[in-house]
């Protein structure tokens, strides 16, 4: 887990990630997604045993914001925030403390990660 504010509710319940993924969706896809319309599940329901199970799978649990264009006859954008089991081999698993990481996957570039300090 990263650093939390004096009142950690925004971090723990995913509201901080929710605001960030709304901004990223706008930059990546040119679509405004109102923050209030982004389904969000925080980490308050995650228990120590969940991390133990993830560890047994050589993984960890991260609270992630996801913005994904779904292909099809009429493409649609999915944006949501939820805890995700992430393999230890994935760059996102290495993010610690107040570090932010954005992982971009595209047909032309494959998977790239951008890492920087969080606020």
């Amino acid at each position: 887990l990263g650093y939390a504010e004096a009142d950690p509710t925004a971090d723990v319940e995913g509201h901080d990630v929710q605001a960030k993924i709304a901004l990223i969706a706008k930059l990546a896809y040119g679509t405004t997604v109102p923050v209030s319309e982004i389904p969000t599940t925080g980490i308050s329901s995650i228990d120590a045993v969940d991390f133990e199970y993830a560890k047994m799978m050589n993984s960890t649990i991260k609270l992630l914001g996801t913005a994904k264009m779904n292909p099809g006859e009429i493409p649609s954008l999915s944006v949501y925030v939820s805890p995700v089991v992430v393999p230890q081999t994935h760059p996102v698993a290495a993010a610690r403390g107040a570090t932010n990481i954005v992982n971009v996957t595209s047909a032309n570039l494959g998977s790239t990660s951008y890492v920087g300090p969080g606020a």
Side-chain angles (χ1 to χ4, degrees):
L1 298 176
Y3 296 104
E5 304 295 331
D7 177 0
T9 304
D11 294 322
V12 173
E13 295 306 325
H15 303 300
D16 185 48
V17 176
Q18 187 182 40
K20 289 175 182 177
I21 198 62
L23 177 62
I24 290 170
K26 174 67 174 172
L27 293 172
Y29 300 107
T31 301
T32 299
V33 180
V35 173
S36 62
E37 293 182 16
I38 298 173
T40 301
T41 302
I43 58 170
S44 59
S45 63
I46 302 295
D47 295 318
V49 69
D50 297 315
F51 284 97
E52 289 300 319
Y53 282 124
K55 187 175 180 181
M56 290 169 50
M57 297 185 295
N58 197 29
S59 299
T60 189
I61 299 172
K62 297 287 185 177
L63 182 59
L64 302 182
T66 301
K68 180 180 180 180
M69 187 60 70
N70 302 305
E73 209 169 296
I74 301 174
S76 63
L77 179 61
S78 294
V79 182
Y80 57 92
V81 176
S82 67
V84 176
V85 175
V86 179
Q88 290 290 355
T89 55
H90 195 283
V92 169
R96 299 281 187 269
T99 302
N100 284 326
I101 185 167
V102 175
N103 185 261
V104 178
T105 303
S106 70
N108 294 328
L109 192 57
S111 181
T112 58
S113 295
Y114 304 91
V115 182

